[in-house]
Amino acid sequence: MGFQPMARVESNEAPGTLPRDSNRRVRSHRTPQNMGWKPMLRPLFPSVTRALSDHMDWHIIIAAVIKIVVFVFLVTLPMVAMSVWAERRVSAAIQDRVGPNRVGPFGLLQAVADGIKFLLKEDFTPAQVNKFYFWLAPALTMVPALLTSAVIPFGSRLFGEKMVIADLDVGPLFVFAISSLTVYGIVLAGWSSNSKYSFLGGVRSTSQMISYEISLGLSIIPLILIYGELNLGRIVQEQAVNGWALLPLWGEGLSLKGFILAIPLFISFVIFMTSMFAETNRLPFDLPECETELVAGYHTEYSSMKFALFFLGEYAAMIIGSGLAVTLFFGGWSLPFGWLAPESIDAAVPWWHGLIHIGVYFTKVIGVILFFIVIRWTLPRFRYDQLMRLGWVFFFEIALFNVALTAILLAVL
Amino acid sequence: MTFLFYLFSALALFGGIGVVVNRNPVSSAISMILSFLGLAALFIQLDAFLVGILQILVYAGAIMVLFLFIIMLLDVREEQRRRRSIVHFIGASGVAIAFVALVITVLSRGDIGKANFTALTESKGPGTSDVHQIGELLFSTYWFPVQIVAVLLLVATVGVVVLSKKELK
């Protein structure tokens, strides 16, 4: 029974379906000749391929896959490895040591050596653990961190394609929603390890993350009030033309209104960064894995690659957090003073501008990562009650006050 | 999209069954999160991005963390050992039968699925996000219910503070 390509005459739509897919108009003129390779797959998985090909544009999927592979797997993951190296070198410099400098030039290949070591080590599972959750937990810390990178715009446009994997209208909310799932990995690791140190680490982490999520969420509300926008791409475009949130020195930002609004934005930034430190469990807030009290906290019982996944998850969360901070407060991919800024979100961007924008984004992100690292080796660890007091008594109230302040300023100005 | 609809419905149902079937309370909680994720994906498929994201942010990200937190402090093994009695069985079947009867009554009314609602995003023209429109509706048409809910939440907060104080002066 041969397969005959045929025009789509039948509509799979149920009578009451909402007419919401704007792409349909584009697709309706397709003839059997230009349907490409899609019909070839149909006899293999008739229902699945029909469902997929009738309602999706393949070029969107292919573009998304390329962006995911390049941005997440070829850039973010190596950056995770490199930031581990940077952490060790910077900490060494701060403590007047040398740090890893033997593997490759400047010790740059140390990360590769560490990775091989982690893979080759014995993957030991203690006898008393709950096996299923013990295995699930490392994945649950790593995956949300990488998922959140989907909505962060890492460039303007390249060859007409927006440099963001998913251009959502609820960008920051998506990041907070997905990263709030990270806590399950830590909680389950602590619980399933069946060890009191792990368990205490897990419990601490849960309460810490819940406490700081509130101020993290509240801290960016002033920014959203000012830009009137939840789409990260449009926020960056606005900042590219009218001044970064923290540097309103060009465009419409260069006015009394811009300068006054920079005050609540700066307060937001301080709360945001501090909460980000707490959310990513970095010093001075790394209570869940406080060595002196809890051995290694929630990952005490882990070894080999499972331990490495916790480690990488922490750094991945730090990189995405830096990306979000850059996007919200430092104009994302845009150069200062409106240089090379596209006129609007839909304007065409020459390919070399696009490349420069991507480079600018990653330069800024690396800057923020270095800031994270330097802070880690500068400040001592907080005590647990101090941490909770700081979150609930100070940052929560300041963030609420800041929202009210911004609303009043916007109403007056 | 029908394929994705079935995929995520299956995920939500699978999670829902897991909540009931699992004897381990932690597994039940995790199944519930799975169910919420499936539900969120279904909302997002209906272009209701804000509702879908809030489903994850509030239910999966905040409320279930607290659930898990409490469950972890219980003795899970004792919970697993607990026997089911005939009273549980009768009570549960009673509730299940009542629910199925309710669903059948509603579905047999005949006009289900015939109503043709326009999506919120369509009603004010394309290009405006659902966040803007929900915000506008909440603070114009529905401002009074929003105020009532706000007061309700304030009452609850004050209540918690009062209850958690060890001694009232």
Side-chain angles (χ1 to χ4, degrees), chain A residues 360-373:
Chain A
V360 168
Y361 171 78
F362 283 109
T363 313
K364 288 180 188 173
V365 168
I366 289 169
V368 178
I369 291 172
L370 287 176
F371 175 70
F372 264 90
I373 291 173

Side-chain angles (χ1 to χ4, degrees), chain A residues 12 15-21 47-48 51-52 55-56 128 130 132-133 136 140 168-170 173-174 176-178 180-181 183-184 187-188 190-191 194 199 202-204 206-207 210 213 228-230 234, chain B residues 1-4 24 26-28 30 33 37 45-47 49-50 53-54 56-57 59-66 68-69 71-74 76-77 113 115-119 122 127-132:
Chain A
N12 279 14
T17 318
L18 306 172
R20 61 186 150 82
D21 193 350
S47 59
V48 174
L52 286 177
H55 294 278
M56 288 180 184
Q128 296 299 314
N130 183 327
F132 179 70
Y133 292 116
L136 185 67
L140 279 183
L168 280 190
D169 278 335
V170 286
L173 281 179
F174 177 86
F176 293 153
I178 301 295
S180 71
L181 299 179
V183 71
Y184 289 113
V187 166
L188 286 178
W191 176 77
N194 206 3
F199 184 72
V203 169
R204 277 189 176 182
T206 321
S207 31
I210 295 173
E213 244 164 43
E229 185 62 65
L230 269 174
R234 295 210 197 95
Chain B
M1 289 284 187
T2 40
F3 164 69
L4 289 178
N24 184 335
V26 173
S27 299
S28 291
I30 299 290
I33 296 159
L37 292 182
Q45 256 199 309
L46 292 170
D47 282 359
F49 289 103
L50 184 67
I53 293 296
L54 286 185
I56 298 178
L57 188 69
Y59 289 95
I63 292 180
M64 285 316 290
V65 172
L66 289 179
L68 205 61
F69 199 59
I71 290 171
M72 285 197 319
L73 297 176
L74 303 173
V76 170
R77 294 219 176 74
N116 202 346
F117 297 105
T118 34
E122 293 281 312
T128 41
S129 71
D130 57 334
V131 186
H132 280 128

Side-chain angles (χ1 to χ4, degrees), chain A residues 216-345:
Chain A
L216 190 68
L218 280 175
S219 73
I220 66 156
I221 289 181
L223 191 116
I224 293 166
L225 278 176
I226 289 169
Y227 289 108
E229 185 62 65
L230 269 174
N231 183 312
L232 288 173
R234 295 210 197 95
I235 290 179
V236 173
Q237 173 63 34
E238 178 71 20
Q239 297 195 21
V241 178
N242 290 326
W244 300 348
L246 291 182
L247 197 68
L249 294 181
W250 61 94
E252 283 172 21
L254 190 60
S255 60
L256 187 64
K257 187 183 173 185
F259 290 144
I260 291 176
L261 285 180
I263 300 168
L265 283 174
F266 182 74
I267 301 174
S268 293
F269 174 68
V270 173
I271 300 171
F272 180 86
M273 281 310 274
T274 320
S275 308
M276 206 42 119
F277 274 98
E279 284 287 297
T280 50
N281 292 326
R282 297 272 306 175
L283 255 163
F285 303 123
D286 67 338
L287 275 300
E289 46 181 301
C290 180
E291 297 94 344
T292 43
E293 296 164 28
L294 295 177
V295 190
Y298 56 87
H299 53 59
T300 305
E301 306 292 335
Y302 281 87
S303 57
S304 179
M305 203 57 207
K306 289 214 281 287
F307 165 73
L309 275 179
F310 282 115
F311 203 60
L312 296 180
E314 182 192 318
Y315 279 86
M318 186 179 91
I319 290 175
I320 303 300
S322 310
L324 192 62
V326 162
T327 304
L328 289 174
F329 294 100
F330 295 106
W333 41 257
S334 62
L335 283 162
F337 304 107
W339 295 330
L340 305 185
E343 281 139 29
S344 76
I345 189 87

Side-chain angles (χ1 to χ4, degrees), chain A residues 74-110:
Chain A
L74 298 182
V75 179
T76 307
L77 281 181
M79 263 173 88
V80 170
M82 291 321 293
S83 50
V84 176
W85 172 81
E87 174 116 87
R88 295 177 66 179
R89 290 292 291 203
V90 171
S91 71
I94 288 175
Q95 296 171 343
D96 206 10
R97 293 184 286 117
V98 180
N101 67 345
R102 293 285 142 183
V103 197
F106 307 106
L108 272 168
L109 295 177
Q110 183 68 40

